[in-house]
Amino acid sequence: MEVIKSDIVIIGAGLAGLRAAIAAAEKSREVSIALISKTYPIRCHSVCAEGGTAAVLREDEGDSFDLHGWDTVKGADFLADQDAVEFFVREIPKEILRLDNWGCPWSRREDGKIAQRAFGGQSFNRTVFAADRTGFHEVHTLYERSLMYPNITRYDEYFVTNLFIEDNAVKGVSAIHLKTGDLVFFNAKAVILATGGAGRLYGFTTYSHQVTGDGLAIAYRAGVPLKDMEFVQFHPTGLIPSGILMTEACRGEGGYLRNRNGERFMEKYAPERMELAPRDVVARAMWTEIIEGRGFEGPYGPYIALDLTHLGEEKIEERLPLIRDAARKFAGIDPVEEPIPVKPVAHYTMGGIHTNMWTETPVKGLYAAGEVAAVSIHGANRLGSNSTAECLVFGRVAGEKAVEFVQGKRFSEITREEMLAEEKRLFDEFLGRSGDENPYEIKKELNEAMDRYFWIFRTGEEMKKGIKKIQELKRRYENIEIVDKKRGFNTDLMQAMEIGFMLDLAETVAVGAYARTESRGAHYRLDYPKRDDENWLKHTLAYYAPEGPKLEYIPVTITKWQPVERKY
């Protein structure tokens, strides 16, 4: 079995992983860095980010760090840790200018300055963008920059299977080299998880198919707690029927949401902010319109109209070219001429691996950054354009902190017994299964259960049914058959493992949501429709146990903004 030694191992080569690698390489040219990804880096899900990245660049025009901080905390329904938010809003402008220097083609104003647009819940036009391909350009900028550093070694198309921890300190990971099927061990002094969220738990989702929560599940199974997993964001505008994201920038550039009566119904729900209220508010409003019969009827069920026709072809071509292209190709609609059919769609995992504001997990040498982590700056509801910002800021922090950690440290070896046990677990016990359950049928039923029981509106009675269903699927999963038995490029094996990861994560979402008897941000319970700060202004921590997640709670950090009623 091959063993690769690297001071720092980074898992995930999206925005957070690439930014962490660059930060580590810049802090020390002596430290070796292994960047592992199950896809090629520029095929990561970060390229799907469309609308922009929030940052305070115009203090002379009325924006401020306090304003961005307040918008973020209020948008989070006061579940964000405010010390982390204050740090975050002050750091992101530096990242915007750094990427500008590295060649990111930000859109510009007529005076040549970096342009910014409106976004939901942001009280100032502070979202920096590159047309509607912001994530794509950010990833390419970082990818090209990463090639400058000889101490970064990439391992593309490696699927990580396990995390090795001894005496509460990380010592490496195992991964399958997908091309050959060989099991490779990466011995490390520090590990950074940057594997993204878990949106493929849901059937109707904006996520790429590779976003299956691998890093979350591996950490969880290794004993690292997951925080606030019950908070899943539903973006208001997913294209029907595919779920492809119709960016919030559509509304930021002036688009309207209309029901079947032609009404801009957001006037009833958020009269001040209208279509630019936070995503949880807009998604609930749209779903209410649909439930109460004011949605349009189509071959794929009810929907709401996203109307851009009044913006004109020139503006749509300049600011939203990807949206026009996607609407034409995947719905046969030209948004210049007619509204786009949309409905809310699973979009973001607010919860994640429990870290402090320095991306440190409870395990020594183990860091997490980006959507896989819950730092927590998003709390119960993330504001649009704060996610790519989080990846840049906390990716850098993770890279720098990991370098500081490994200085003077010695490797703690992954033992031969551990290697043999992992090989046996994967290839004898897992690949060798020959039960009568189809893993893809289990995944289909899991997606249906999440879409039904843990969607925008939840109740205790329905969630109990959902938990029971997930537990049933977990039992059936023990009896799956993996048809393809070969080792090289065995995507059947990889996807079966991903489904196992998703089952564990679905249970943390479900159990956490059922236990939280209040409504806050994206977690809305019809049987507990009010926010309950007296009992629930606290983070959920889910610990792995064979019989199901064990929950604990920790307080939210409040620095300067006391909770108030959210009105928009």
Side-chain angles (χ1 to χ4, degrees):
M1 284 175 283
E2 185 180 6
V3 178
I4 296 171
K5 282 197 171 186
S6 184
D7 294 312
I8 298 171
V9 166
I10 300 170
I11 306 169
L15 274 180
L18 284 167
R19 187 67 191 92
I22 293 169
E26 290 199 325
K27 193 169 180 70
S28 171
R29 301 297 176 102
E30 308 303 319
V31 167
S32 56
I33 301 156
L35 183 58
I36 304 173
S37 174
K38 72 176 175 181
T39 67
Y40 197 75
I42 55 175
R43 291 184 58 232
C44 65
H45 181 63
S46 298
V47 300
C48 299
E50 297 172 359
T53 301
V56 175
L57 299 182
R58 303 276 186 273
E59 288 187 275
D60 57 328
E61 296 177 13
D63 202 3
S64 73
F65 295 126
D66 265 3
L67 202 54
H68 190 188
W70 165 247
D71 289 342
T72 300
V73 169
K74 182 182 174 186
D77 217 346
F78 299 92
L79 198 70
D81 285 330
Q82 296 180 12
D83 53 349
V85 172
E86 290 190 72
F87 172 78
F88 161 71
V89 299
R90 289 181 178 277
E91 291 300 310
I92 185 56
K94 303 171 192 171
E95 292 296 316
I96 296 296
L97 297 179
R98 192 170 283 119
L99 261 65
D100 192 49
N101 290 335
W102 290 349
C104 189
W106 300 125
S107 294
R108 301 278 169 173
R109 308 196 307 197
E110 287 189 2
D111 63 5
K113 293 181 178 178
I114 293 171
Q116 292 178 290
R117 62 170 38 134
F119 245 65
Q122 306 272 12
S123 56
F124 191 88
N125 293 356
R126 65 167 68 94
T127 298
V128 177
F129 60 97
D132 56 358
R133 297 186 175 97
T134 306
F136 173 88
H137 288 300
E138 289 176 341
V139 166
H140 278 253
T141 300
L142 293 179
Y143 172 73
E144 290 171 15
R145 182 76 185 181
S146 74
L147 301 177
M148 294 178 59
Y149 304 97
N151 53 334
I152 298 175
T153 304
R154 286 208 334 269
Y155 296 89
D156 301 333
E157 298 184 331
Y158 280 70
F159 180 71
V160 173
T161 64
N162 213 342
L163 189 62
F164 295 90
I165 296 170
E166 184 175 319
D167 297 331
N168 198 41
V170 71
K171 59 182 185 179
V173 302
S174 55
I176 296 172
H177 184 195
L178 293 174
K179 181 178 179 181
T180 64
D182 292 339
L183 184 61
V184 180
F185 293 86
F186 290 85
N187 199 187
K189 299 173 184 175
V191 172
I192 299 172
L193 293 168
T195 53
R200 277 282 154 186
L201 297 181
Y202 289 83
F204 191 63
T205 175
T206 61
Y207 282 82
S208 306
H209 285 274
Q210 73 263 30
V211 189
T212 49
D214 307 358
L216 287 158
I218 289 168
Y220 173 62
R221 290 176 179 180
V224 184
L226 303 184
K227 185 162 63 186
D228 295 336
M229 289 295 288
E230 61 267 38
F231 297 100
V232 177
Q233 180 160 84
F234 300 95
H235 192 290
T237 50
L239 181 66
I240 292 176
S242 63
I244 292 172
L245 176 65
M246 295 287 102
T247 172
E248 194 163 304
C250 293
R251 288 170 282 135
E253 296 293 346
Y256 300 149
L257 294 170
R258 296 187 188 277
N259 61 19
R260 66 185 302 170
N261 301 323
E263 299 163 339
R264 288 181 66 192
F265 55 85
M266 283 308 301
E267 189 173 11
K268 291 187 294 184
Y269 303 94
E272 185 179 333
R273 298 291 299 170
M274 295 289 287
E275 285 89 350
L276 289 176
R279 291 172 178 174
D280 61 329
V281 175
V282 180
R284 277 196 295 276
M286 291 173 67
W287 208 247
T288 300
E289 292 294 303
I290 288 173
I291 290 172
E292 295 181 355
R294 292 185 291 277
F296 294 86
E297 288 297 329
Y300 303 102
Y303 66 89
I304 294 295
L306 173 60
D307 187 0
L308 308 182
T309 56
H310 55 288
L311 300 182
E313 184 171 9
E314 184 178 352
K315 185 170 185 177
I316 291 173
E317 273 298 306
E318 181 202 343
R319 297 296 179 94
L320 303 166
L322 174 66
I323 292 304
R324 187 181 188 189
D325 193 37
R328 281 167 152 174
K329 286 181 178 173
F330 295 97
I333 298 286
D334 185 347
V336 170
E337 298 173 352
E338 54 186 321
I340 305 170
V342 295
K343 68 178 183 179
V345 57
H347 180 63
Y348 190 84
T349 313
M350 261 81 72
I353 295 170
H354 173 45
T355 75
N356 61 19
M357 62 184 283
W358 307 119
T359 71
E360 296 163 329
T361 74
V363 175
K364 293 174 187 172
L366 180 64
Y367 303 82
E371 192 175 348
V372 74
V375 169
S376 141
I377 60 167
H378 306 309
N381 175 65
R382 176 178 68 80
L383 287 191
S385 69
N386 269 355
S387 62
T388 48
E390 177 193 29
C391 290
L392 295 172
V393 168
F394 292 102
R396 175 181 62 76
V397 170
E400 292 176 350
K401 287 292 177 185
V403 170
E404 293 171 11
F405 180 82
V406 303
Q407 302 291 340
K409 288 279 191 311
R410 302 178 65 177
F411 284 97
S412 180
E413 306 289 339
I414 302 172
T415 66
R416 181 162 179 78
E417 288 73 25
E418 288 173 314
M419 295 182 198
L420 291 172
E422 182 65 1
E423 184 176 47
K424 181 181 178 187
R425 182 181 78 87
L426 293 173
F427 297 118
D428 295 343
E429 298 171 3
F430 193 75
L431 184 59
R433 287 184 189 180
S434 56
D436 56 7
E437 291 284 354
N438 181 340
Y440 304 103
E441 176 60 28
I442 289 176
K443 179 177 182 294
K444 176 174 169 288
E445 291 184 35
L446 173 67
N447 288 159
E448 290 170 350
M450 297 303 288
D451 284 352
R452 177 175 179 180
Y453 299 118
F454 302 97
W455 195 246
I456 295 171
F457 293 121
R458 303 167 173 179
T459 68
E461 186 177 344
E462 289 295 296
M463 287 191 287
K464 275 175 70 175
K465 296 177 185 173
I467 293 170
K468 187 177 178 183
K469 180 66 180 178
I470 293 166
Q471 292 170 342
E472 173 211 314
L473 294 174
K474 287 185 73 174
R475 286 192 294 274
R476 287 168 52 191
Y477 179 76
E478 294 302 313
N479 195 35
I480 62 170
E481 177 173 19
I482 298 168
V483 175
D484 186 352
K485 299 296 184 187
K486 72 177 187 301
R487 288 218 180 175
F489 245 116
N490 190 339
T491 54
D492 203 21
L493 170 64
M494 181 182 76
Q495 289 172 10
M497 293 185 68
E498 290 173 340
I499 293 165
F501 292 157
M502 288 191 282
L503 286 168
D504 280 354
L505 297 178
E507 198 172 25
T508 66
V509 173
V511 172
Y514 180 73
R516 185 173 284 270
T517 50
E518 66 157 356
S519 289
R520 184 183 296 272
H523 172 65
Y524 193 92
R525 289 188 59 154
L526 294 171
D527 46 354
Y528 293 93
K530 300 292 185 185
R531 196 178 76 201
D532 180 358
D533 289 334
E534 184 176 346
N535 294 301
W536 288 105
L537 185 57
K538 57 189 179 183
H539 295 296
T540 305
L541 294 183
Y543 290 85
Y544 177 82
E547 66 275 18
K550 298 295 183 189
L551 303 184
E552 295 182 6
Y553 297 91
I554 58 173
V556 175
T557 302
I558 306 286
T559 57
K560 62 171 69 169
W561 297 293
Q562 293 301 316
V564 296
E565 183 183 359
R566 291 169 78 213
K567 292 181 179 177
Y568 291 97

